[in-house]
Amino acid sequence: MMMMMMMMSCVSIHIWGHEECLCQVLVVLLSLCEGLWAAPRPKPLDPRAEFDSIVNLARNLLSDTKNLFNHFKNRYPAEGEHKLETLPVLSMNAVELANIQVSGGLARLSSDLQCYQRHFEWLRKAAPLLRPMEHDIGTVHNRLDRLLKRLEHLMTKLSLSRPNDPLPTLPAHGTHWSVVQAGHAIVHSFHLYLDWAARVLVLIRNKL
């Protein structure tokens, strides 16, 4: 009889020990859950903040392009207006500018910047004919690459499709004078375009 009582006592202690362990585990789990609930959740990304960064990058690129434009004119003075049919056509219509939409506006910017990127690649390869301007051309080209990548990254975050327009085919580099004329057209056109693009980016940002 005494033996049975001792055995029952041991069983009770054994069960109680397991229950105590389970309670401790539950307490630990609950404290972890409370910590997770209390932890601050990351705020969703505000695309307008990224827009501000892109606008600043566009303005810095505009400043670099203005310097390139002035240096190019001083180094290679050329009278008259120089044009290239492969460059984007810029519309200065105020109504069109005011009515620009997020999706269409960003797609237009992406497509145009890709076109300018191709032209600056062409101009950079002509560096032996424009050697004094090599550094300035490279600076603008590198910053243009950064702007285009940031813009396309933003479009991906906004789930906007990126344009797949065919890029222009540029001619082989000809004479020194033909490259100078093309350089004037590219740099002057890009300078005007960036001034327009910076305003467009601000308008699009305000519509988000």
Side-chain angles (χ1 to χ4, degrees), residues 41-60:
R41 296 183 179 180
K43 296 181 179 179
L45 177 67
D46 184 359
R48 290 174 297 181
E50 193 155 353
F51 250 107
D52 291 339
S53 176
I54 292 175
V55 170
N56 288 333
L57 187 56
R59 287 173 176 167
N60 290 334

Side-chain angles (χ1 to χ4, degrees), residues 5-19:
M5 292 178 64
M6 291 178 63
M7 289 177 64
M8 292 178 64
S9 176
C10 289
V11 171
S12 298
I13 292 173
H14 185 67
I15 294 173
W16 170 252
H18 276 290
E19 291 178 348

Side-chain angles (χ1 to χ4, degrees), residues 68 72 75-76 123-138 176 179-180:
L68 172 60
F72 206 95
R75 183 66 181 81
Y76 301 110
L123 197 58
R124 199 169 187 178
K125 290 178 181 177
L129 297 174
L130 303 170
R131 190 165 299 280
M133 306 303 305
E134 185 176 5
H135 176 73
D136 289 347
I137 293 171
H176 178 266
V179 172
V180 167

Side-chain angles (χ1 to χ4, degrees), residues 1-154:
M1 185 70 175
M2 181 64 69
M3 183 64 70
M4 289 183 64
M5 292 178 64
M6 291 178 63
M7 289 177 64
M8 292 178 64
S9 176
C10 289
V11 171
S12 298
I13 292 173
H14 185 67
I15 294 173
W16 170 252
H18 276 290
E19 291 178 348
E20 186 176 6
C21 289
L22 288 173
C23 288
Q24 290 177 351
V25 171
L26 288 173
V27 169
V28 172
L29 289 174
L30 286 173
S31 64
L32 288 174
C33 290
E34 289 178 358
L36 291 174
W37 292 331
R41 296 183 179 180
K43 296 181 179 179
L45 177 67
D46 184 359
R48 290 174 297 181
E50 193 155 353
F51 250 107
D52 291 339
S53 176
I54 292 175
V55 170
N56 288 333
L57 187 56
R59 287 173 176 167
N60 290 334
L61 178 55
L62 174 60
S63 177
D64 289 335
T65 306
K66 184 178 181 180
N67 290 334
L68 172 60
F69 178 56
N70 290 331
H71 293 166
F72 206 95
K73 286 194 304 180
N74 292 334
R75 183 66 181 81
Y76 301 110
E79 297 296 331
E81 185 177 3
H82 305 281
K83 294 183 179 181
L84 281 179
E85 294 182 356
T86 52
L87 288 167
V89 178
L90 180 61
S91 173
M92 302 298 289
N93 188 301
V95 175
E96 180 182 340
L97 187 64
N99 293 330
I100 199 163
Q101 299 301 313
V102 175
S103 178
L106 291 180
R108 164 76 187 278
L109 285 169
S110 177
S111 177
D112 288 347
L113 289 177
Q114 286 181 30
C115 182
Y116 278 112
Q117 183 186 45
R118 173 60 64 90
H119 282 83
F120 271 96
E121 286 174 354
W122 181 90
L123 197 58
R124 199 169 187 178
K125 290 178 181 177
L129 297 174
L130 303 170
R131 190 165 299 280
M133 306 303 305
E134 185 176 5
H135 176 73
D136 289 347
I137 293 171
T139 298
V140 170
H141 183 231
N142 292 336
R143 200 182 289 272
L144 171 57
D145 284 343
R146 288 177 54 199
L147 175 61
L148 185 56
K149 289 177 181 177
R150 292 285 292 278
L151 183 62
E152 291 178 343
H153 181 66
L154 176 62

Side-chain angles (χ1 to χ4, degrees), residues 138-193:
T139 298
V140 170
H141 183 231
N142 292 336
R143 200 182 289 272
L144 171 57
D145 284 343
R146 288 177 54 199
L147 175 61
L148 185 56
K149 289 177 181 177
R150 292 285 292 278
L151 183 62
E152 291 178 343
H153 181 66
L154 176 62
M155 293 177 69
T156 300
K157 286 188 175 182
L158 294 175
S159 300
L160 300 176
S161 59
R162 287 178 291 177
N164 193 24
D165 299 333
L167 293 174
T169 301
L170 299 178
H173 299 105
T175 64
H176 178 266
W177 177 239
S178 66
V179 172
V180 167
Q181 287 180 305
H184 274 287
I186 294 169
V187 176
H188 179 62
S189 174
F190 193 49
H191 180 240
L192 293 177
Y193 183 85

